[in-house]
Amino acid sequence: MMSDSRRAIVLAVGGGIAAYKSAFLCSRLVQSGHEVRVALTKSALNFVGASTFSALSGQSVATEVFQPERHPLGAHIELAKGCDLMIVAPATANLMSRFALGQADDLISTLYLQLTSPVLLAPAMSDSMWKKAAVQRNVDRLREDGCHFVGPSSGWLSCRASGDGRMSEPNEILEAAEALFNR
């Protein structure tokens, strides 16, 4: 589906095995006519490479707050400028905890605090993590803070079991993003 207007989207990729799905999401967002700016956590780099997202988005990828050769003002400031939506996929328990607490100790948590645009979270983690009271408190807090969620769904997880915590499919995340734009 082609977007009615070009939107600037920050795709923040957390460190979980579901990060591989975010490459497809990046491609779908670009094909839908959006400008996609990608930020990867250090943990995400254990699962996916920056060069993949650079090729798919057509832009350099941010991995650190301070990358003066790419982002002289700080990646969190430059990525947030003119941003229409931040999608966090996968939104790990760690990232959601940092957001809920207002921490700013890495690129994506600092970027989250810098942004004034809506935030769409696509959680991904094991069933037992997703159901943990602390995670659910953070989810409730983030909803109260205005974050939007897509998923997680139920299904086969990387821990070799079925349950809740599976990241939504890229097309579902794209549809949720488009629905936010059309509100």
Side-chain angles (χ1 to χ4, degrees):
M1 127 182 26
M2 187 55 109
S3 168
D4 289 340
S5 62
R6 183 173 171 86
R7 307 287 183 141
I9 298 174
V10 170
L11 175 59
V13 182
I17 187 61
Y20 80 91
K21 290 182 179 181
S22 297
F24 182 70
L25 174 60
C26 180
S27 177
R28 292 290 292 126
L29 289 166
V30 170
Q31 290 174 52
S32 294
H34 301 297
E35 172 194 341
V36 181
R37 308 167 187 171
V38 180
L40 301 172
T41 64
K42 288 181 184 179
S43 295
L45 292 168
N46 290 311
F47 298 98
V48 293
S51 59
T52 298
F53 287 93
S54 182
L56 292 171
S57 69
Q59 299 196 44
S60 63
V61 172
T63 58
E64 300 283 341
V65 174
F66 301 104
Q67 292 176 289
E69 68 285 351
R70 291 187 185 155
H71 306 284
L73 299 177
H76 63 296
I77 293 171
E78 292 189 18
L79 291 172
K81 280 184 184 175
C83 178
D84 297 303
L85 176 67
M86 178 178 180
I87 300 173
V88 184
T92 62
N94 184 29
L95 280 175
M96 291 193 301
S97 174
R98 287 176 173 170
F99 297 167
L101 293 172
Q103 290 181 319
D105 58 359
D106 70 352
L107 171 61
I108 292 178
S109 61
T110 304
L111 177 59
Y112 171 79
L113 292 178
Q114 179 68 29
L115 282 165
T116 58
S117 67
V119 176
L120 177 62
L121 303 171
M125 62 199 74
S126 71
D127 181 79
S128 59
M129 288 176 75
W130 175 249
K131 291 178 177 171
K132 191 66 76 177
V135 171
Q136 291 306 306
R137 275 194 306 274
N138 289 335
V139 167
D140 291 343
R141 181 69 213 234
L142 292 168
R143 282 193 171 113
E144 290 171 13
D145 289 349
C147 290
H148 304 273
F149 283 79
V150 55
S153 60
S154 216
W156 184 253
L157 304 169
S158 65
C159 57
R160 312 274 187 278
S162 288
D164 295 332
R166 181 179 174 84
M167 189 172 99
S168 296
E169 295 303 318
N171 283 335
E172 293 173 285
I173 299 169
L174 176 62
E175 288 172 13
E178 294 289 350
L180 285 172
F181 290 141
N182 293 326
R183 284 165 77 153

